[in-house]
Amino acid sequence: RMMSCCSKWICDGCYHANKLRQIKENSQRTCPFCRHPPPKTDEETNKNFMKRVQKNDSVAMTQMGFARENEGDHDSAIEYWSKAVELGDAI
C-alpha cells in the first residue's frame, strides 16, 4: 500500500499494526510516516498524489507512469518513468 500523502510504501501487516495502535491509544488515524490524516475521498487521494508528483517525488513519478500506462498513454508513461529514474527510483 502506498501512502498518498508522502509516497511511502507500507506493507499490509505494518499498516494494520499501526491502525491497531491508534485504536488502542484512542488517537486520530494518521499516516505512520508523516502523520498526515488519511484522505477521505478518492479526489483527495489524487490531489495528494499530484502534489507529490509536482514536488518531483520519484516514487510518485513511477506510480504516475503506471497509471498512464494503464490508461493506454504509453508515451506519457515512459516520460514519467524516465523522470523517476533521473530522480533516483529504480522502478
Side-chain angles (χ1 to χ4, degrees):
R1 167 184 317 238
M2 188 177 85
M3 308 306 290
S4 68
C5 46
C6 60
S7 297
K8 302 286 187 215
W9 285 96
I10 186 170
C11 73
D12 288 336
C14 293
Y15 180 82
H16 183 69
N18 184 60
K19 190 174 174 181
L20 290 178
R21 180 190 58 78
Q22 290 170 344
I23 290 169
K24 183 178 178 182
E25 294 174 358
N26 199 26
S27 61
Q28 179 183 1
R29 277 190 56 212
T30 60
C31 172
F33 300 109
C34 69
R35 305 296 184 222
H36 191 273
K40 294 181 173 90
T41 64
D42 287 342
E43 183 178 327
E44 193 176 340
T45 298
N46 292 336
K47 186 177 175 182
N48 287 345
F49 187 68
M50 287 309 297
K51 282 182 187 178
R52 300 304 311 165
V53 169
Q54 291 169 351
K55 291 182 179 186
N56 286 329
D57 184 302
S58 62
V59 174
M61 291 283 186
T62 298
Q63 294 308 307
M64 183 60 79
F66 287 124
R68 293 296 181 252
E69 181 189 37
N70 289 338
E71 294 170 359
D73 186 355
H74 302 289
D75 291 337
S76 182
I78 290 170
E79 287 178 28
Y80 278 108
W81 290 331
S82 296
K83 181 70 173 176
V85 168
E86 288 172 14
L87 295 170
D89 196 29
I91 302 182

